[in-house]
């Protein structure tokens, strides 16, 4: 994707109030009609893949909104690793050690 097209999409997100003036998403993109709103303002997106969880734009918006559902499956292990209590790959069977 060109920088120009990326800028057009970012500007459209702000114009449609899906993002604020700083570019922060205001709503979870999984629960909005961002595709339709953006396509109405940036016709070039019609040529791009926009499927949920498959398109690069969809995934970037999910990440920008900080929607990381996969981490929830291993939250205790992730927090223990971040706290330095456990090595990567070390498991306690779902129970974080104290």
């Amino acid at each position: 994707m060109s920088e120009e097209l990326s800028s057009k999409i970012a500007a459209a997100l702000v114009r449609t109030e899906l993002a604020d003036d700083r570019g922060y998403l205001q709503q979870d993109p999984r629960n909005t009609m961002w595709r339709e709103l953006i396509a109405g303002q940036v016709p070039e997106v019609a040529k791009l893949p926009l499927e949920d969880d498959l398109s690069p734009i969809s995934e970037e918006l999910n990440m920008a909104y900080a929607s990381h559902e996969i981490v929830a499956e291993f939250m205790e292990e992730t927090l223990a690793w971040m706290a330095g209590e456990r090595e990567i790959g070390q498991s306690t069977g779902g129970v974080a050690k104290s």
Side-chain angles (χ1 to χ4, degrees):
M1 173 181 311
S2 71
E3 185 175 336
E4 179 184 359
L5 180 54
S6 179
S7 294
K8 286 181 180 182
I9 292 170
L13 288 168
V14 173
R15 279 194 306 275
T16 57
E17 298 181 355
L18 292 171
D20 66 15
D21 291 336
R22 298 176 301 161
Y24 289 101
L25 291 178
Q26 299 302 295
Q27 300 174 45
D28 184 343
R30 294 174 190 242
N31 300 319
T32 65
M33 297 181 62
W34 68 265
R35 292 164 185 82
E36 294 81 5
L37 293 169
I38 300 306
Q41 300 211 10
V42 185
E44 298 95 329
V45 300
K47 300 174 187 172
L48 302 174
L50 299 176
E51 299 85 11
D52 287 343
D53 299 325
L54 295 176
S55 86
I57 295 172
S58 178
E59 286 302 294
E60 289 297 324
L61 289 175
N62 290 343
M63 289 181 60
Y65 191 71
S67 178
H68 304 290
E69 70 280 356
I70 296 171
V71 174
E73 294 177 17
F74 300 99
M75 185 54 72
E76 289 181 21
E77 290 88 349
T78 301
L79 292 174
W81 173 76
M82 293 172 82
E85 298 172 1
R86 193 168 308 132
E87 295 291 321
I88 296 174
Q90 180 184 3
S91 176
T92 59
V95 178
K97 66 180 183 180
S98 50

